Amino acid sequence: MMKPVLGIETSCDETAAAVVDGDGRILAEAVLSQLGEHAPFGGVVPEIAARTHLRHLSEQVRHTMAAAGIGFTDLGGVAATSGPGLIGGLIVGCQFGKGVAIASHIPFVAVNHLEAHALTARLPGLVKGGAPFPYLLFLLSGGHSQCIAVTGIGQHVRLGGTVDDAAGEAFDKVAKLLGLDWPGGPALEKIASEGDPTSHPFPRPMARRPGCDLSFSGLKTAVAQTVLRIGPELTREQRADVAASFQQAVVEVLADRARHAMDMMQGRFPRANLLVVAGGVASNAAVRAGLADAAMSRGFRLVAPPVRLCSDNAVMVAWTGVERLRRGWSDSLDVNARPRWPLDILEAVAG
Ligand code: KG4
Ligand code: ZN
C-alpha cells in the first residue's frame, strides 16, 4: 500500500496543507484563509499573498503533520501546487515542497491546480470507489470557468470555457456594483435569498448556442446599467432583487451550458454519466440545484463535493499526488512554478 502524501496549496489566497493516504483517507487537513489580509483592498493582492504564504506555510505543514500523527520519513511523497496561479505564492509552495522532498528522500509531484480540482471526485468518499473515467468536469472558480472531459490522469479534453470573465469573477464584480463586501459570491448569494429572481429580465448570454462556451460580460453590463438607472442609493430590497435576478440568470446559463456539455460528452464518450462540479461557485446552493436538474435531464448524476473540497484546499493536491505517484509518476526537482499552465499540456509533462 502506498504511504501517505503531503499536499501543499498556495496558488491564490489560501495557505493549505493536507495529508492523504494511499486509499484516499484524509489523515489531516488545514486551510488558512487570507481573506482578512486582502479584504481592505477589495481583492487578492499578489505580493501580500506571497508574503503571507511565506509567513505561515512552515507552521501550517508542521501542524498538519502532527495532526496526521506521522513524521516526514513516513511519507510516500510530497505534492505541491506549481501552477497555474499567482507566481509569488506558487514559488513559496513549490520550493517548500521540493525542500521537504530533498530532506526526506521522497519523490516530489508538481501539481497542476486545475487537475487537482478535477481529481477531487475520485476521492473514494464522494462516489463509491471514486469517480470512474471518463467524467465531465464543470470547473467554476474565481479564475477559471471550463467544461472538461476528464479521461484519465493527465488526460483531459477541453470542451468549452468562458470567452471573457470567469463565473466567480462575475459574482465578485456584480457584488461590487451592489456595494457588497469582497469576496462577493457568498455575500451575493446571501442577499439574493431575500430578493425576487423575476424582478429584472437580465440576458442569458450564450444560452441555446451550440457548444458549451460561457460568457458573463454582457450580463455584468446589463446589471451595471440597471444599477445606474435605479440611482446612486439602492435600498436593501432593490439590492436583493438585482442580486436574485442576476443569480437566476447565471444559474440558467450554467444549466444550459452544462446540458450542451453533457450532450457533447455523450457524443464522444457514450458511457459517461457523471457531472462533477468544482470551484468556489459550486458552493452556491442555487447553482448546485440548477446543475442537479440539468444532470437529471440528461441521465447524468451530479457529483458536488462538500463546499470545503470545492474551494481551494490541499486535500485535492495531496490526492493528485497519490494518483500520480501510484502510477510511478513524479517530477524532477528542476520543475519550476508556472503562472500559466493549461490542462492540455499535462499529458506531455506526465509522459
Ligand atoms: O475556487 P475558489 O475558492 O478560488 C479560485 O478562484 O481558485 O473560487 C473563488 C470564487 C470567488 O469568485 C467567489 O466569489 C466565488 O468563488 N464564490 C461564490 C460563492 N462562494 C464563493 N460564488 C457564488 N456563490 C457562492 N456561494
Ligand atoms: Zn481553485
Side-chain angles (χ1 to χ4, degrees):
M1 218 264 282
M2 227 190 88
K3 289 180 178 176
V5 172
L6 168 66
I8 294 169
E9 162 60 42
T10 56
S11 68
C12 191
D13 60 341
E14 274 91 18
T15 312
V19 179
V20 173
D21 77 9
D23 290 329
R25 262 191 306 264
I26 301 166
L27 303 186
E29 61 182 306
V31 179
L32 183 81
S33 166
Q34 301 180 0
L35 276 188
E37 313 267 342
H38 303 287
F41 303 95
V44 177
V45 183
E47 177 74 17
I48 294 176
R51 286 167 188 258
T52 311
H53 289 305
L54 197 56
R55 194 168 341 117
H56 296 295
L57 183 60
S58 318
E59 236 355 76
Q60 190 80 327
V61 168
R62 224 196 314 268
H63 272 136
T64 307
M65 292 295 291
I70 58 171
F72 288 107
T73 49
D74 300 318
L75 291 170
V78 53
T81 300
S82 303
L86 301 174
I87 191 63
L90 290 170
I91 289 173
V92 173
C94 176
Q95 296 301 100
F96 190 99
K98 289 186 206 172
V100 171
I102 293 169
S104 315
H105 306 286
I106 54 176
F108 171 71
V109 182
V111 170
N112 178 297
H113 181 85
L114 305 177
E115 170 159 64
H117 275 301
L119 295 181
T120 301
R122 286 175 53 79
L123 277 166
L126 297 174
V127 174
K128 203 161 179 287
F133 298 124
Y135 54 84
L136 176 63
L137 172 74
F138 214 18
L139 177 60
L140 302 168
S141 71
H144 300 272
S145 289
Q146 295 179 12
C147 298
I148 297 160
V150 185
T151 56
I153 309 296
Q155 292 178 2
H156 310 88
V157 182
R158 190 177 180 281
L159 303 176
T162 183
V163 297
D164 41 57
D165 294 346
E169 203 178 345
F171 270 95
D172 291 337
K173 286 178 178 168
V174 166
K176 201 169 197 170
L177 285 171
L178 294 176
L180 304 175
D181 286 343
W182 178 85
L188 195 142
E189 178 175 17
K190 191 153 178 277
I191 197 170
S193 66
E194 302 165 18
D196 173 5
T198 63
S199 53
H200 298 280
F202 292 134
R204 272 59 172 156
M206 298 301 223
R208 286 181 294 280
R209 292 245 198 114
C212 58
D213 278 344
L214 296 144
S215 163
F216 293 103
S217 71
L219 175 56
K220 184 188 62 195
T221 307
V223 174
Q225 284 166 345
T226 299
V227 169
L228 213 60
R229 205 179 54 241
I230 299 175
E233 290 295 323
L234 272 74
T235 63
R236 183 167 178 97
E237 197 182 336
Q238 286 169 327
R239 267 184 244 274
D241 282 346
V242 171
S245 301
F246 163 77
Q247 183 173 274
Q248 182 61 26
V250 172
V251 168
E252 285 179 27
V253 166
L254 292 179
D256 175 85
R257 303 290 76 195
R259 281 191 295 268
H260 279 242
M262 286 183 278
D263 292 343
M264 292 165 79
M265 188 77 189
Q266 271 181 331
R268 294 178 80 142
F269 310 100
R271 284 183 305 110
N273 64 0
L274 291 179
L275 169 63
V276 175
V277 282
V281 180
S283 49
N284 182 295
V287 168
R288 282 181 181 240
L291 292 177
D293 283 350
M296 204 147 50
S297 77
R298 293 300 189 268
F300 273 55
R301 173 174 157 208
L302 179 73
V303 180
V307 168
R308 73 176 213 289
L309 297 180
C310 277
S311 49
D312 289 348
N313 66 85
V315 169
M316 65 182 189
V317 180
W319 174 242
T320 302
V322 171
E323 292 255 43
R324 291 189 154 255
L325 286 168
R326 68 184 177 195
R327 282 164 180 75
W329 297 350
S330 63
D331 292 280
S332 130
L333 296 178
D334 297 338
V335 166
N336 281 320
R338 57 199 97 169
R340 285 184 46 76
W341 187 4
L343 269 181
D344 40 0
I345 64 165
L346 271 190
E347 242 169 311
V349 173

